[in-house]
Amino acid sequence: MIYKAPERIAYTDGHGFCPGCGHGIAIRIIGEALQELEVEESTIAVVDVACCYLAFDNWQYDSIMAAHGRPVATAVGVKRVRKDNTVFAYLGDGAAYSIGIAETLHAAVRNENITVITVNNGVFGMTGGQMAPTTLDGQRTSSTPQGRDPAKVGHPIHVENIMGGLDIAYLARGALNSVANVRKAKSYVKKAFMKQRQGMGYSYVELLSPCPTNWGLEPVEALKHIDDEVLKVYPVGEFINREER
Amino acid sequence: MNEEILMKGNEALAEAAIRAGCNFYVGYPITPQNEILEYMCWRMEQAGGEFIQSESELAAVNILLGAAAAGARGMISSSGPGFSLFQEGISYLVAGDIPAVIVDVARYGSGIGEISQGQSDYKLVTCGNGHGDSQLIVLTPASVQETADLTALAFELAEKYRHPVIILSDAAIGQMMEPVVLPEETHVDIDRDEWTVKGCRSEDKPRLITNLFYYIDDYDSFLRSKYEAMRENEQRWESVCVEDAEVVIVAYGISSRISREAVREARAMGIRLGMIRLITAFPFPEKAFEQIGGCCKALVTVEMSAIGQLADDVRLAVKCSRPVYSVCTGIRVPESGEILDKVKSILCKQTEEARI
């Protein structure tokens, strides 16, 4: 059996991510899902700025770089014009839950028929690891050097609590820290794209991802940190899985 | 030839957009442009296009970017406070070389200002438009007919230059009813341009809509030459009795209609008053000022703002060869009488030059 990366992922120029970053895995499983669904020729990706934008060099799909926090809004514009295409937004937790939370939520309220994939690494990565809405209580970041203090800045945001009551097609969280979790995460991503192809509406997957650089951990330690700390706060699983409308 | 009908400025704008092939509209409520949103909510569906009432103007402009990048002929509209929120997306439209039409039905003042008529956004649309080196063609209609005509032109220019274009209307022009002949209906194919995202076959190179700066070796020259072409080709204005005028009014939109009346009254009194009416605020119609005669002693801007926002552009256009005064009436529509008083005091040298 020959096992190789999807042809629509180019690694010829390498990639721009830090050692041990989860983006590479996210890019790969999204590419595999789209290939298996045979929708690569119709796919249009809308990526956020910062770390997500580095995927621009890897995915060989028609793509748009949106403003920070606005990929979901921009993907909505694309999909409304090109209803037969598979359109997805790829953004980070800072984009999805901080600056772009209105765009993330209102596209869900309207149940726009797009797929949104949010990489949650608990920090603003590209800018040097500042606190994000997903930073764990007590977690040290470059803007919470003493650790996140819930008394001052509140607790991390849970997408399933915010979006769980909305009439959307799909909502799941996966983790990119072990073979078993990556396989499960890929099944969520694939299912999300299938919901879009079936015209079911908004499908959303959050992917817990390691950020060794900004966590101050070795790559292997960062994977363990997800098991030991992150998954206790952010459980994986499917929260909404509408089968029919 | 379409027949003449009676229409409100904002509704004529919306209908003209549809007829000009606009197939995507997204907006958020704000007075005094609500008629555009309310007209589009039923008319766009009837015309087979897409309508979205978005969660904010920030979302609207970023939704528009996606639609335009996917091949739609798209438009958004707002007024002052909402137009401020468009700034982010306008900058990205410029950076990505993406055509779109953006409407500002101006109202009065800073902050929430006032929903009634005003012309407080001249500097915003000519000098603002987000971070970076933004310059957008700005069309300034002064009647319902011109609103319809310039709306059709806006889409044409946006696609000619692959650049966003602004229509700067105001509450008075947007709310008034006048006879109008609407443009002929046209339809556009979303696949008409190669550069738009549409999905790519495995043997093709993917289309990337991003900051053009990343892909063009000499982006600065590219942008400069685009703006230079606009300056050369797109200056539009109307001259009224300018050649022999001792004082020349410069105005646009609602103020230019009162100014026209002032010119007529002045001429009846033997005062040689003229007017240059802007039809484009950018490119500023510098060529119009070549027609000013040696007898011109001064120029005066008539604007519904607290400060003479237009005055600096006029000073540059005449290379500071003559003093430039301003009649600034703020929230109040100017009266021809007060314009004439100002002109008389200028001719009697009883007035100070307006300083911003």
Side-chain angles (χ1 to χ4, degrees):
Chain A
M1 180 182 168
I2 299 171
Y3 196 70
K4 59 174 189 167
E7 285 165 13
R8 289 301 187 101
I9 298 180
Y11 292 106
T12 46
D13 298 326
H15 64 70
F17 299 107
C18 303
C21 175
H23 271 288
I25 304 168
I27 289 168
R28 169 82 176 245
I29 62 174
I30 291 166
E32 287 179 359
L34 292 168
Q35 180 171 278
E36 288 165 20
L37 292 169
E38 298 180 343
V39 294
E40 293 168 300
E41 294 200 347
S42 79
T43 295
I44 297 171
V46 184
V47 305
D48 198 51
V49 297
C51 296
C52 290
Y53 181 64
L54 298 172
F56 232 59
D57 296 329
N58 301 128
W59 282 322
Q60 300 296 296
Y61 315 122
D62 278 10
S63 302
I64 300 174
M65 182 203 71
H68 180 44
R70 321 290 176 223
V72 176
T74 299
V76 165
V78 173
K79 182 70 181 187
R80 289 288 192 107
V81 175
R82 295 194 176 270
K83 295 188 173 65
D84 295 335
N85 289 68
T86 303
V87 180
F88 75 98
Y90 185 68
L91 64 168
D93 44 317
Y97 306 134
S98 191
I99 193 168
I101 192 165
E103 288 78 5
T104 307
L105 279 180
H106 281 273
V109 170
R110 295 192 299 268
N111 198 29
E112 299 278 356
N113 193 28
I114 58 169
T115 299
V116 178
I117 296 167
T118 297
V119 174
N120 175 0
N121 58 15
V123 288
F124 283 90
M126 181 65 92
T127 47
Q130 295 83 5
M131 182 188 71
T134 45
T135 296
L136 305 185
D137 288 344
Q139 186 181 338
R140 291 172 191 271
T141 72
S142 63
S143 59
T144 55
Q146 306 303 316
R148 177 176 183 150
D149 179 359
K152 288 181 180 164
V153 296
H155 297 286
I157 278 178
H158 285 70
V159 67
E160 65 270 35
N161 294 347
I162 300 171
M163 236 184 251
L166 297 179
D167 187 18
I168 60 175
Y170 191 69
L171 177 63
R173 177 185 295 116
L176 305 177
N177 70 322
S178 68
V179 173
N181 277 344
V182 169
R183 290 173 74 93
K184 197 188 278 180
K186 182 185 157 187
S187 74
Y188 296 160
V189 168
K190 193 171 172 183
K191 209 182 262 187
F193 283 125
M194 284 165 66
K195 300 285 180 193
Q196 183 186 158
R197 295 308 304 166
Q198 292 159 1
M200 301 274 289
Y202 200 70
S203 53
Y204 189 101
V205 181
E206 181 185 292
L207 298 173
L208 300 172
S209 169
C211 182
T213 301
N214 288 306
W215 291 356
L217 298 173
E218 293 297 319
V220 176
E221 292 173 353
L223 298 178
K224 192 167 178 305
H225 175 77
I226 292 181
D227 258 334
D228 295 345
E229 306 290 338
V230 182
L231 285 169
K232 287 179 186 154
V233 179
Y234 286 121
V236 297
E238 293 174 310
F239 307 105
I240 296 175
N241 182 12
R242 238 175 271 296
E243 293 299 340
E244 55 188 41
R245 295 212 76 79
Chain B
M1 184 74 181
N2 293 319
E3 63 175 317
E4 194 174 67
I5 54 172
L6 195 62
M7 258 187 133
K8 214 176 195 185
N10 282 340
E11 291 180 348
L13 192 153
E15 180 59 31
I18 296 274
R19 288 172 184 234
C22 175
N23 50 17
F24 192 93
Y25 173 86
V26 48
Y28 183 89
I30 184 171
T31 310
Q33 64 83 54
N34 294 316
E35 293 84 359
I36 301 176
L37 178 81
E38 289 167 1
Y39 193 90
M40 283 299 195
C41 80
W42 62 270
R43 182 67 174 100
M44 186 56 89
E45 191 177 341
Q46 190 186 62
E50 286 292 319
F51 166 88
I52 300 177
Q53 180 173 329
S54 64
E55 57 272 30
S56 70
E57 288 88 350
L58 260 178
V61 69
N62 286 290
I63 291 171
L64 173 77
L65 187 149
R73 188 170 274 185
M75 183 172 91
I76 50 177
S77 63
S78 192
S79 181
F83 201 87
S84 291
L85 293 177
F86 284 163
Q87 302 295 298
E88 173 189 88
I90 292 175
S91 179
Y92 280 80
L93 288 166
V94 170
D97 240 20
I98 303 169
V101 172
I102 302 163
V103 180
D104 182 3
V105 183
R107 52 198 246 179
Y108 171 77
S110 306
I112 196 67
E114 185 52 70
I115 59 171
S116 61
Q117 59 269 57
Q119 294 182 305
S120 298
D121 292 351
Y122 181 86
K123 281 194 182 289
L124 175 65
V125 298
T126 58
C127 307
N129 299 317
H131 56 286
D133 295 295
S134 303
Q135 286 272 235
L136 273 61
I137 293 176
V138 179
L139 304 169
T140 56
S143 67
V144 175
Q145 182 62 60
E146 198 171 42
T147 300
D149 295 344
L150 293 183
T151 299
L153 178 67
F155 288 101
E156 190 185 312
L157 295 178
E159 293 185 17
K160 176 178 174 184
Y161 292 99
R162 270 187 68 177
H163 206 74
V165 169
I166 293 172
I167 300 170
L168 177 63
S169 179
D170 59 61
I173 302 297
Q175 300 292 326
M176 68 171 59
M177 288 188 88
E178 283 185 325
V180 58
V181 179
L182 292 160
E184 292 295 328
E185 254 183 77
T186 52
H187 293 279
V188 291
D189 177 2
I190 57 169
D191 289 326
R192 66 196 178 284
D193 292 315
E194 168 51 33
W195 63 267
T196 53
V197 289
K198 46 181 79 69
C200 84
R201 292 174 302 179
S202 55
E203 59 270 29
D204 294 337
K205 217 170 154 338
R207 302 167 187 88
L208 303 177
I209 308 291
T210 180
N211 206 318
L212 213 61
F213 166 73
Y214 299 148
Y215 293 97
I216 291 189
D217 286 340
D218 189 358
Y219 176 73
D220 294 348
S221 294
F222 165 81
L223 197 61
R224 280 195 295 266
S225 61
K226 196 182 210 182
Y227 294 152
E228 197 44 53
M230 290 176 188
R231 279 197 197 89
E232 192 51 44
N233 305 324
E234 310 304 342
Q235 291 184 28
R236 287 172 169 80
W237 72 92
E238 181 193 0
S239 295
V240 180
C241 305
V242 165
E243 280 86 352
D244 69 338
E246 288 189 294
V247 176
V248 174
I249 292 172
V250 186
Y252 66 95
I254 182 65
S255 294
S256 68
R257 295 172 68 122
I258 318 298
S259 299
R260 187 188 302 276
E261 178 67 12
V263 170
R264 195 185 62 77
E265 289 173 16
R267 291 278 165 172
M269 289 190 274
I271 299 170
R272 286 188 293 161
L273 182 62
M275 172 175 74
I276 292 171
R277 179 174 75 83
L278 310 186
I279 299 175
T280 54
F282 180 86
F284 193 78
E286 290 162 357
K287 293 175 187 172
F289 293 81
E290 292 165 8
Q291 298 167 343
I292 290 174
C295 53
C296 175
K297 293 177 178 147
L299 297 99
V300 55
T301 69
V302 179
E303 310 177 57
M304 289 186 63
S305 48
I307 59 171
Q309 297 196 13
L310 179 52
D312 280 346
D313 278 346
V314 177
R315 286 190 189 96
L316 286 173
V318 297
K319 300 183 175 67
C320 295
S321 61
R322 293 159 178 92
V324 177
Y325 305 91
S326 291
V327 175
C328 296
T329 61
I331 202 165
R332 200 168 46 75
V333 178
E335 290 175 16
S336 57
E338 63 188 313
I339 300 172
L340 283 175
D341 289 346
K342 182 80 166 187
V343 169
K344 286 177 198 163
S345 74
I346 290 168
L347 289 171
C348 298
K349 296 190 173 54
Q350 288 172 346
T351 190
E352 290 293 312
E353 186 174 356
R355 295 283 176 211
I356 293 170

